[in-house]
Amino acid sequence: MEGFLSDIFIAPFVSMWEYPVFLVEVLVGGLLVGVMYSLVALGFVLIFKASGVFNFAQGAMVLFAALFFAGFLEAGMPVWLALGASAVVMVALAIVTERVVLRPLVNQPPIVLFMATIGLTFFLDGFGQMIWGSDIKVIDIGIPKEPLEIHGVLINSFDIVAGVTAGLLVAGLALFFHYTKIGRALRAVADDHQAALSVGIPLQSIWVIVWSVAGLVALVAGIMWGSSLGVQFSLALVALKALPVLILGGFTSIPGAIVGGLIIGASEKIGEVYWGPALGGAIEDWHAYMIAMVFLLFRPQGLFGEKIIERV
Amino acid sequence: MAALDQAETPDADTREIGDVLLRVDRISLYFGGVRALNNISFEVREHEILAIIGPNGAGKSSMLNVINGFYHPQEGTITYRGKTRSRMRPYQAAAQGIARTFQNIALFKGMSTLDNIMTGRLLKMHQPFWMQALYWGPAQREEIEHRKFCEEIIDFLEIQHIRKTPVGRLPYGLQKRVELGRALAAQPTLLLLDEPMAGMNVEEKEDMCRFILDINEEFGTTIALIEHDMGVVMDISDRVVVLDYGRKLADGPPDSVRSDPAVVSAYLGVGHD
Ligand SMILES: Nc1ncnc2c1ncn2[C@@H]1O[C@H](COP(=O)(O)OP(=O)(O)OP(=O)(O)O)[C@@H](O)[C@H]1O
Ligand SMILES: [Mg+2]
């Protein structure tokens, strides 16, 4: 018992203190993975803000996008063409979703829309596999996988590429939604549908834009995760990692999604490395949720405290 | 306030009622069994102030909602600036110069006063989004111009002191004023006001009346407003349309409407303030 307590309360900190370089390695690795979580969480937040829909299908969209990308590669397309073609597929998906799911259900209670996205999930899983089959696909776009040494710190170069790509995308989106009229329109729609309509914001175009962005975000996440895990059904579950991020960051806050992703990514890695052995390993599945839950007790409105918006 | 003037507005101050700007023709609107509007026709002329009055549930708000495309009538047509349609769409209405305020204030509660008003100007912003994202050259100039314009509105409505305040925190009377500012930001041709003075004290009402008259006189904006306060209606409107149970009871200058027996009995029957 004493040994166990020391393994939890003393040993991890001693080892952090004694091997700071290793701690930095773990931390950086965690942050880079965290950016990916931010990316997926961002997809959720955008859709939730703009349409009040909790998009259950976000994970399925990741898998769907990755399937198409991998399929296009297999069909012999060069990487850039496969990327463009899958992006077109995701935008088309956004247009169809707006037309077939959102528009007919406008002004229905959120739970109805939520159910509709569950339906969308099954459709995406089924349709994607119908076209591309259910075999595991490999995505290899030539991202190096060897560890890289920077100032004595070893970092997985794949994590760097993924992290930097996701970081750039997140920064670009933040810029886009903060400084453009589309961003202003999005905030207006999130705040009050009726008022937004009255100043001439075309609600349906905003929905298409937001679902397209969520689709593109899913595509990038799908490519990155698909490259390291292979394109298979479990990819859809990766999106579940975004849930604790959302709890932490708040469902309506873009900065919350970004910072929340980083926090979850980093603490997940640190927990896994330092506390995992004492707790019998495999803690990465649940301890992000635990962090989020504990956090929730103290700040139910999430990191950045945007209050929960009631909508008409 | 020169910048607030509309291009098509002739000389200020020499306000003259012009041609028909909007005509609603035999509009009927149902909600299930409820007939909110029953075969309603009337006109709004350029530069006039038209008041729509009537007891609660008469269909006044529904009428405005039909005009800016929130509700789609089952029968009838709407002719605006010479183009006849069987229904408006909110985007269309806004793009063609119809702006409005709401009976139950609909502001962007999380945004500041200035941001609310800037959002009212969204349709006037033409720079492509990627230029805006980079805040580059023409986009920057455009943003500054719009900002300046909105500051003028803020001065006009005397709300400088709450420029940066999130509107959710403002008292009711000021919220109504910000909402008017947001509608003005679009430089509307036709301004629809749904009970702009409801719930205000006497002083606030006087301010609001003054703003409405100034907007109408200085910028030549055509205004259709709904108001329960008969004193106000008689004071500021050029013409009055009276609705009751979805029907039009009367339509004419304030004095003749006031003495119309049908109107008198409708109002006595309901006992309105
Ligand atoms: N969205 C809606 N759904 C169902 N019924 C509605 C809707 N909007 C209005 N109505 C009904 O239409 C009728 C007219 O309502 P409206 O709001 O236009 O009245 P009003 O003249 O503005 O009244 P008030 O002075 O109370 O604002 C009422 O019977 C109302 O219940
Ligand atoms: Mg009303």
Side-chain angles (χ1 to χ4, degrees):
Chain A
M1 188 66 205
E2 220 167 85
F4 180 69
L5 285 182
S6 130
D7 279 348
I8 287 189
F9 292 108
I10 301 170
F13 298 103
V14 171
S15 112
M16 283 182 203
W17 176 255
E18 284 177 351
Y19 307 101
V21 173
F22 183 61
L23 175 62
V24 171
E25 277 170 16
V26 173
L27 198 63
V28 170
L31 288 175
L32 290 173
V33 175
V35 187
M36 299 290 290
Y37 296 164
S38 305
L39 199 58
V40 178
L42 204 60
F44 273 108
V45 168
L46 286 174
I47 289 182
F48 188 77
K49 266 177 95 91
S51 48
V53 179
F54 183 83
N55 181 21
F56 188 80
Q58 190 74 40
M61 281 162 71
V62 171
L63 176 62
F64 188 75
L67 268 177
F68 270 83
F69 182 74
F72 287 146
L73 282 184
E74 265 180 17
M77 285 189 192
V79 171
W80 60 269
L81 189 61
L83 193 65
S86 337
V88 169
V89 169
M90 294 318 280
V91 170
L93 176 67
I95 294 171
V96 172
T97 306
E98 190 278 319
R99 203 52 263 242
V100 180
V101 181
L102 298 176
R103 203 183 292 185
L105 292 180
V106 67
N107 289 335
Q108 297 298 317
I111 186 73
V112 173
L113 284 153
F114 175 66
M115 301 296 257
T117 66
I118 295 182
L120 185 62
T121 306
F122 284 104
F123 166 75
L124 291 177
D125 287 346
F127 186 63
Q129 295 193 3
M130 195 179 83
I131 295 185
W132 301 110
S134 52
D135 300 336
I136 297 182
K137 290 191 165 39
V138 200
I139 293 181
D140 184 6
I141 51 175
I143 303 175
K145 303 211 162 150
E146 315 75 50
L148 208 72
E149 199 186 315
I150 305 171
H151 294 295
V153 179
L154 279 180
I155 299 168
N156 190 332
S157 53
F158 180 82
D159 284 351
I160 295 187
V161 174
V164 169
T165 309
L168 285 177
L169 193 60
V170 167
L173 287 174
L175 216 62
F176 175 72
F177 282 110
H178 200 265
Y179 288 106
T180 66
K181 62 180 171 188
I182 296 177
R184 196 190 287 280
L186 173 80
R187 274 176 285 149
V189 169
D191 206 324
D192 192 316
H193 274 194
Q194 230 189 11
L197 278 173
S198 82
V199 298
I201 294 169
L203 206 54
Q204 285 149 357
S205 322
I206 294 288
W207 285 342
V208 169
I209 290 171
V210 161
W211 280 75
S212 300
V213 168
L216 297 179
V217 160
L219 175 60
V220 173
I223 292 173
M224 293 305 170
W225 267 314
S227 309
S228 63
L229 306 176
V231 180
Q232 53 180 322
F233 187 74
S234 68
L235 212 56
L237 303 179
V238 166
L240 290 180
K241 294 280 189 187
L243 211 55
V245 175
L246 291 174
I247 296 172
L248 201 67
F251 280 78
T252 55
S253 165
I254 289 176
I258 297 169
V259 178
L262 295 177
I263 293 178
I264 294 284
S267 54
E268 198 178 58
K269 257 282 168 7
I270 288 181
E272 191 184 315
V273 169
Y274 290 97
W275 280 274
L279 296 173
I283 67 167
E284 71 265 30
D285 285 338
W286 53 268
H287 97 277
Y289 282 90
M290 208 184 65
I291 295 169
M293 291 309 186
V294 171
F295 182 83
L296 202 59
L297 292 180
F298 296 99
R299 262 189 94 78
Q301 74 274 45
L303 266 179
F304 291 91
E306 269 190 34
K307 76 171 180 1
I308 292 148
I309 297 167
E310 273 298 319
R311 63 191 65 243
V312 240
Chain B
M1 289 305 293
L4 268 176
D5 276 313
Q6 292 174 324
E8 64 259 42
T9 305
D11 212 348
D13 288 323
T14 59
R15 188 179 70 109
E16 238 175 59
I17 310 289
D19 294 339
V20 173
L21 176 66
L22 172 85
R23 171 182 291 124
V24 292
D25 195 22
R26 283 164 288 168
I27 292 281
S28 292
L29 173 74
Y30 312 82
F31 293 104
V34 180
R35 216 169 218 236
L37 295 171
N38 192 347
N39 205 24
I40 302 284
S41 307
F42 64 85
E43 292 167 353
V44 186
R45 295 181 162 271
E46 273 171 16
H47 313 312
E48 80 174 338
I49 298 182
L50 172 81
I52 301 175
I53 65 170
N56 292 111
K60 308 178 295 294
S61 298
S62 299
M63 195 62 241
L64 291 199
N65 284 333
V66 164
I67 295 174
N68 95 309
F70 276 175
Y71 291 169
H72 296 152
Q74 280 81 0
E75 288 158 33
T77 57
I78 305 151
T79 307
Y80 176 66
R81 285 174 143 183
K83 189 164 178 348
T84 303
R85 302 178 172 87
S86 60
R87 51 159 66 173
M88 284 297 249
R89 293 181 184 285
Y91 171 77
Q92 228 171 32
Q96 312 247 341
I98 301 180
R100 68 168 294 174
T101 65
F102 295 83
Q103 184 168 352
N104 314 302
I105 304 173
L107 281 169
F108 307 118
K109 298 235 159 39
M111 297 186 196
S112 69
T113 297
L114 180 62
D115 270 340
N116 266 275
I117 295 176
M118 283 290 276
T119 307
R121 236 183 134 56
L122 218 58
L123 284 183
K124 301 267 173 198
M125 302 189 180
H126 299 299
Q127 290 298 322
F129 65 80
W130 50 270
M131 292 246 270
Q132 294 177 326
L134 301 173
Y135 196 62
W136 183 54
Q140 186 180 8
R141 235 169 293 138
E142 189 186 43
E143 176 86 9
I144 291 171
E145 256 164 48
H146 288 304
R147 173 78 191 262
K148 226 166 91 188
F149 183 85
C150 292
E151 295 287 355
E152 277 184 53
I153 291 176
I154 287 175
D155 288 345
F156 174 75
L157 294 175
E158 297 158 19
I159 45 179
Q160 299 90 337
H161 58 296
I162 53 161
R163 180 194 276 110
K164 297 275 178 193
T165 317
V167 295
R169 286 200 218 134
L170 296 173
Y172 188 80
L174 282 177
Q175 289 197 7
K176 285 247 163 200
R177 225 186 262 192
V178 175
E179 212 193 11
L180 176 61
R182 186 183 62 199
L184 283 182
Q187 286 167 290
T189 309
L190 175 60
L191 180 60
L192 309 174
L193 306 174
D194 197 342
E195 308 201 12
M197 284 162 256
M200 288 187 170
N201 63 33
V202 177
E203 198 184 322
E204 287 173 324
K205 276 190 188 183
E206 278 172 5
D207 284 341
M208 190 52 95
C209 280
R210 181 163 52 81
F211 292 136
I212 291 173
L213 288 171
D214 283 353
I215 291 164
N216 178 248
E217 274 171 28
E218 284 184 39
F219 322 133
T221 311
T222 308
I223 299 174
L225 61 88
I226 296 173
E227 186 46 58
H228 281 300
D229 185 326
M230 286 313 251
V232 168
V233 169
M234 295 300 152
D235 272 357
I236 68 173
S237 52
D238 299 304
R239 212 155 47 80
V240 181
V241 167
V242 189
L243 301 183
D244 187 27
Y245 290 114
R247 280 172 219 281
K248 188 169 95 169
L249 282 190
D251 180 348
D255 287 332
S256 75
V257 163
R258 182 162 38 186
S259 49
D260 190 309
V263 177
V264 173
S265 76
Y267 267 77
L268 288 179
V270 178
H272 222 289
D273 52 351

